[in-house]
Amino acid sequence: MATNDYESGLKMMEELTTDAQQIQDQLLGEILSKNAETEYLQGFLHGQTDKQLFKKNVPIVTYEHLKPYIDRIANGEASSDILLVEPLTGSGTSGGLPKLVPTTAESAHKAATFNKLYRPVMI
């Protein structure tokens, strides 16, 4: 990794951790705004994007709860109608037994950026 990449990565980590609560609230707002009309969120939020309504109504779930939705996408239904509006670019595994884990271009980019930051420290 070039020095400039490393330094810009450290700067990004500093920015992300300085006001994590505000960044998390902003990110949740963006996710809800993008995906409020999906089938999954409609069932809990009825098209609304209020963060407090999300916290109150959307349960913490396991992969098994989401598997029927993921299977539908894997079988050809449009992800924009089911779980998220951003097009899926692939899938991965969460470790252990193979599972389909939907991946978007945005999430893949964020993972690559994170990998660039932690690899030099871990190796």
Side-chain angles (χ1 to χ4, degrees):
M1 174 187 278
T3 302
N4 286 343
D5 288 343
Y6 183 75
E7 289 173 0
S8 66
L10 287 176
K11 182 180 180 198
M12 182 182 76
M13 286 180 67
E14 180 69 27
E15 290 169 357
L16 291 173
T17 56
T18 299
D19 195 353
Q21 179 67 45
Q22 179 184 349
I23 291 169
Q24 290 293 317
D25 285 344
Q26 180 182 346
L27 180 59
L28 177 58
E30 290 172 12
I31 291 169
L32 293 176
S33 293
K34 284 182 192 177
N35 298 293
E37 299 298 323
T38 61
E39 179 182 330
Y40 184 75
L41 284 181
Q42 275 284 347
F44 300 106
L45 304 178
H46 312 291
Q48 297 182 44
T49 60
D50 178 71
K51 289 180 272 189
Q52 292 305 318
L53 187 64
F54 171 82
K55 291 176 185 179
K56 178 182 174 192
N57 290 353
V58 180
I60 296 172
V61 298
T62 67
Y63 178 83
E64 294 306 316
H65 291 101
L66 296 175
K67 189 175 183 320
Y69 298 98
I70 293 168
D71 287 345
R72 287 173 50 201
I73 295 167
N75 289 326
E77 285 189 57
S79 63
S80 61
D81 297 332
I82 301 171
L83 282 177
L84 62 161
V85 296
E86 190 175 353
L88 298 178
T89 59
S91 67
T93 183
S94 63
L97 295 175
K99 297 175 183 172
L100 293 174
V101 178
T103 304
T104 64
E106 182 180 357
S107 65
H109 175 72
K110 287 179 180 177
T113 301
F114 178 74
N115 284 335
K116 285 181 186 177
L117 294 173
Y118 89 84
R119 277 197 186 209
V121 176
M122 299 302 288
I123 294 177

mmCIF file of all heavy atoms in Angstrom, residues 34-35 73 77-81 83-91 102-108:
data_model
loop_
_atom_site.group_PDB
_atom_site.id
_atom_site.type_symbol
_atom_site.label_atom_id
_atom_site.label_comp_id
_atom_site.label_asym_id
_atom_site.label_seq_id
_atom_site.Cartn_x
_atom_site.Cartn_y
_atom_site.Cartn_z
ATOM 1 N N LYS A 34 -33.362 4.973 1.056
ATOM 2 C CA LYS A 34 -33.183 4.192 -0.171
ATOM 3 C C LYS A 34 -34.121 2.990 -0.231
ATOM 4 O O LYS A 34 -34.622 2.640 -1.294
ATOM 5 C CB LYS A 34 -31.748 3.660 -0.271
ATOM 6 C CG LYS A 34 -30.710 4.649 -0.660
ATOM 7 C CD LYS A 34 -29.373 3.898 -0.758
ATOM 8 C CE LYS A 34 -28.203 4.793 -0.871
ATOM 9 N NZ LYS A 34 -26.932 4.049 -0.902
ATOM 10 N N ASN A 35 -34.331 2.336 0.910
ATOM 11 C CA ASN A 35 -34.970 1.018 0.901
ATOM 12 C C ASN A 35 -36.356 0.969 1.529
ATOM 13 O O ASN A 35 -36.902 -0.119 1.721
ATOM 14 C CB ASN A 35 -34.050 0.017 1.601
ATOM 15 C CG ASN A 35 -32.735 -0.127 0.878
ATOM 16 O OD1 ASN A 35 -32.692 -0.633 -0.233
ATOM 17 N ND2 ASN A 35 -31.660 0.336 1.489
ATOM 18 N N ILE A 73 -34.402 -13.863 -4.357
ATOM 19 C CA ILE A 73 -33.494 -13.069 -5.190
ATOM 20 C C ILE A 73 -32.580 -14.004 -5.979
ATOM 21 O O ILE A 73 -32.373 -13.816 -7.181
ATOM 22 C CB ILE A 73 -32.673 -12.092 -4.325
ATOM 23 C CG1 ILE A 73 -33.604 -11.055 -3.686
ATOM 24 C CG2 ILE A 73 -31.598 -11.405 -5.158
ATOM 25 C CD1 ILE A 73 -32.965 -10.229 -2.580
ATOM 26 N N GLU A 77 -35.858 -13.144 -8.785
ATOM 27 C CA GLU A 77 -36.690 -11.960 -8.518
ATOM 28 C C GLU A 77 -35.785 -10.745 -8.325
ATOM 29 O O GLU A 77 -34.660 -10.865 -7.861
ATOM 30 C CB GLU A 77 -37.555 -12.170 -7.271
ATOM 31 C CG GLU A 77 -38.725 -13.099 -7.500
ATOM 32 C CD GLU A 77 -39.682 -13.112 -6.318
ATOM 33 O OE1 GLU A 77 -40.192 -12.040 -5.943
ATOM 34 O OE2 GLU A 77 -39.893 -14.212 -5.770
ATOM 35 N N ALA A 78 -36.315 -9.572 -8.653
ATOM 36 C CA ALA A 78 -35.532 -8.337 -8.535
ATOM 37 C C ALA A 78 -35.304 -7.985 -7.070
ATOM 38 O O ALA A 78 -36.252 -7.882 -6.306
ATOM 39 C CB ALA A 78 -36.249 -7.198 -9.242
ATOM 40 N N SER A 79 -34.045 -7.789 -6.692
ATOM 41 C CA SER A 79 -33.731 -7.446 -5.305
ATOM 42 C C SER A 79 -34.362 -6.122 -4.913
ATOM 43 O O SER A 79 -34.709 -5.909 -3.755
ATOM 44 C CB SER A 79 -32.222 -7.391 -5.093
ATOM 45 O OG SER A 79 -31.636 -6.374 -5.890
ATOM 46 N N SER A 80 -34.544 -5.199 -5.888
ATOM 47 C CA SER A 80 -35.095 -3.878 -5.582
ATOM 48 C C SER A 80 -36.519 -3.963 -5.049
ATOM 49 O O SER A 80 -36.973 -3.048 -4.377
ATOM 50 C CB SER A 80 -35.058 -2.992 -6.819
ATOM 51 O OG SER A 80 -35.843 -3.559 -7.855
ATOM 52 N N ASP A 81 -37.188 -5.055 -5.331
ATOM 53 C CA ASP A 81 -38.551 -5.221 -4.832
ATOM 54 C C ASP A 81 -38.591 -5.937 -3.490
ATOM 55 O O ASP A 81 -39.605 -5.927 -2.815
ATOM 56 C CB ASP A 81 -39.388 -6.030 -5.833
ATOM 57 C CG ASP A 81 -39.529 -5.331 -7.171
ATOM 58 O OD1 ASP A 81 -39.478 -4.089 -7.202
ATOM 59 O OD2 ASP A 81 -39.680 -6.031 -8.184
ATOM 60 N N LEU A 83 -35.437 -6.820 -0.853
ATOM 61 C CA LEU A 83 -34.607 -6.444 0.303
ATOM 62 C C LEU A 83 -33.963 -5.069 0.205
ATOM 63 O O LEU A 83 -33.891 -4.350 1.188
ATOM 64 C CB LEU A 83 -33.493 -7.467 0.519
ATOM 65 C CG LEU A 83 -33.879 -8.772 1.182
ATOM 66 C CD1 LEU A 83 -32.677 -9.708 1.260
ATOM 67 C CD2 LEU A 83 -34.434 -8.535 2.574
ATOM 68 N N LEU A 84 -33.420 -4.733 -0.954
ATOM 69 C CA LEU A 84 -32.731 -3.466 -1.104
ATOM 70 C C LEU A 84 -32.775 -3.002 -2.548
ATOM 71 O O LEU A 84 -32.880 -3.812 -3.455
ATOM 72 C CB LEU A 84 -31.281 -3.561 -0.623
ATOM 73 C CG LEU A 84 -30.346 -4.515 -1.338
ATOM 74 C CD1 LEU A 84 -28.916 -4.118 -1.039
ATOM 75 C CD2 LEU A 84 -30.572 -5.939 -0.911
ATOM 76 N N VAL A 85 -32.735 -1.688 -2.738
ATOM 77 C CA VAL A 85 -32.893 -1.160 -4.087
ATOM 78 C C VAL A 85 -31.603 -1.202 -4.894
ATOM 79 O O VAL A 85 -31.650 -1.252 -6.107
ATOM 80 C CB VAL A 85 -33.453 0.281 -4.086
ATOM 81 C CG1 VAL A 85 -34.850 0.311 -3.516
ATOM 82 C CG2 VAL A 85 -32.557 1.230 -3.337
ATOM 83 N N GLU A 86 -30.459 -1.185 -4.245
ATOM 84 C CA GLU A 86 -29.198 -1.212 -4.970
ATOM 85 C C GLU A 86 -29.020 -2.582 -5.619
ATOM 86 O O GLU A 86 -29.277 -3.616 -4.994
ATOM 87 C CB GLU A 86 -28.041 -0.934 -4.014
ATOM 88 C CG GLU A 86 -26.729 -0.714 -4.714
ATOM 89 C CD GLU A 86 -25.631 -0.312 -3.754
ATOM 90 O OE1 GLU A 86 -25.895 -0.072 -2.571
ATOM 91 O OE2 GLU A 86 -24.490 -0.251 -4.209
ATOM 92 N N PRO A 87 -28.597 -2.616 -6.887
ATOM 93 C CA PRO A 87 -28.422 -3.915 -7.569
ATOM 94 C C PRO A 87 -27.388 -4.771 -6.862
ATOM 95 O O PRO A 87 -26.373 -4.263 -6.372
ATOM 96 C CB PRO A 87 -27.926 -3.534 -8.964
ATOM 97 C CG PRO A 87 -28.185 -2.087 -9.114
ATOM 98 C CD PRO A 87 -28.255 -1.498 -7.751
ATOM 99 N N LEU A 88 -27.646 -6.060 -6.816
ATOM 100 C CA LEU A 88 -26.695 -6.997 -6.227
ATOM 101 C C LEU A 88 -25.633 -7.330 -7.253
ATOM 102 O O LEU A 88 -25.926 -7.504 -8.429
ATOM 103 C CB LEU A 88 -27.404 -8.269 -5.777
ATOM 104 C CG LEU A 88 -28.459 -8.068 -4.693
ATOM 105 C CD1 LEU A 88 -29.128 -9.392 -4.358
ATOM 106 C CD2 LEU A 88 -27.864 -7.457 -3.460
ATOM 107 N N THR A 89 -24.387 -7.407 -6.801
ATOM 108 C CA THR A 89 -23.281 -7.704 -7.704
ATOM 109 C C THR A 89 -22.705 -9.088 -7.459
ATOM 110 O O THR A 89 -21.808 -9.509 -8.162
ATOM 111 C CB THR A 89 -22.157 -6.658 -7.547
ATOM 112 O OG1 THR A 89 -21.714 -6.669 -6.192
ATOM 113 C CG2 THR A 89 -22.654 -5.278 -7.916
ATOM 114 N N GLY A 90 -23.197 -9.779 -6.455
ATOM 115 C CA GLY A 90 -22.687 -11.107 -6.158
ATOM 116 C C GLY A 90 -23.120 -11.538 -4.786
ATOM 117 O O GLY A 90 -24.031 -10.967 -4.190
ATOM 118 N N SER A 91 -22.475 -12.577 -4.307
ATOM 119 C CA SER A 91 -22.756 -13.047 -2.958
ATOM 120 C C SER A 91 -21.466 -13.588 -2.379
ATOM 121 O O SER A 91 -20.491 -13.792 -3.084
ATOM 122 C CB SER A 91 -23.847 -14.124 -2.961
ATOM 123 O OG SER A 91 -23.383 -15.292 -3.603
ATOM 124 N N PRO A 102 -26.011 -11.435 0.172
ATOM 125 C CA PRO A 102 -26.080 -10.456 -0.914
ATOM 126 C C PRO A 102 -25.001 -9.380 -0.785
ATOM 127 O O PRO A 102 -24.745 -8.875 0.304
ATOM 128 C CB PRO A 102 -27.468 -9.843 -0.752
ATOM 129 C CG PRO A 102 -28.251 -10.856 0.006
ATOM 130 C CD PRO A 102 -27.260 -11.530 0.912
ATOM 131 N N THR A 103 -24.385 -9.059 -1.910
ATOM 132 C CA THR A 103 -23.324 -8.059 -1.953
ATOM 133 C C THR A 103 -23.673 -7.017 -3.007
ATOM 134 O O THR A 103 -24.073 -7.367 -4.108
ATOM 135 C CB THR A 103 -21.975 -8.715 -2.324
ATOM 136 O OG1 THR A 103 -21.713 -9.763 -1.397
ATOM 137 C CG2 THR A 103 -20.842 -7.731 -2.297
ATOM 138 N N THR A 104 -23.507 -5.747 -2.643
ATOM 139 C CA THR A 104 -23.713 -4.654 -3.596
ATOM 140 C C THR A 104 -22.362 -4.055 -3.935
ATOM 141 O O THR A 104 -21.366 -4.297 -3.251
ATOM 142 C CB THR A 104 -24.617 -3.562 -2.999
ATOM 143 O OG1 THR A 104 -23.946 -2.978 -1.882
ATOM 144 C CG2 THR A 104 -25.964 -4.129 -2.560
ATOM 145 N N ALA A 105 -22.310 -3.249 -4.987
ATOM 146 C CA ALA A 105 -21.063 -2.588 -5.355
ATOM 147 C C ALA A 105 -20.573 -1.703 -4.218
ATOM 148 O O ALA A 105 -19.379 -1.669 -3.911
ATOM 149 C CB ALA A 105 -21.265 -1.767 -6.631
ATOM 150 N N GLU A 106 -21.488 -1.006 -3.555
ATOM 151 C CA GLU A 106 -21.116 -0.121 -2.452
ATOM 152 C C GLU A 106 -20.516 -0.913 -1.295
ATOM 153 O O GLU A 106 -19.487 -0.532 -0.741
ATOM 154 C CB GLU A 106 -22.327 0.674 -1.976
ATOM 155 C CG GLU A 106 -22.014 1.651 -0.869
ATOM 156 C CD GLU A 106 -23.228 2.442 -0.403
ATOM 157 O OE1 GLU A 106 -24.323 2.291 -0.970
ATOM 158 O OE2 GLU A 106 -23.061 3.224 0.541
ATOM 159 N N SER A 107 -21.146 -2.032 -0.926
ATOM 160 C CA SER A 107 -20.617 -2.812 0.198
ATOM 161 C C SER A 107 -19.278 -3.450 -0.162
ATOM 162 O O SER A 107 -18.392 -3.551 0.687
ATOM 163 C CB SER A 107 -21.626 -3.866 0.663
ATOM 164 O OG SER A 107 -21.848 -4.832 -0.341
ATOM 165 N N ALA A 108 -19.098 -3.849 -1.415
ATOM 166 C CA ALA A 108 -17.821 -4.422 -1.847
ATOM 167 C C ALA A 108 -16.716 -3.370 -1.793
ATOM 168 O O ALA A 108 -15.597 -3.654 -1.372
ATOM 169 C CB ALA A 108 -17.936 -4.995 -3.252
#
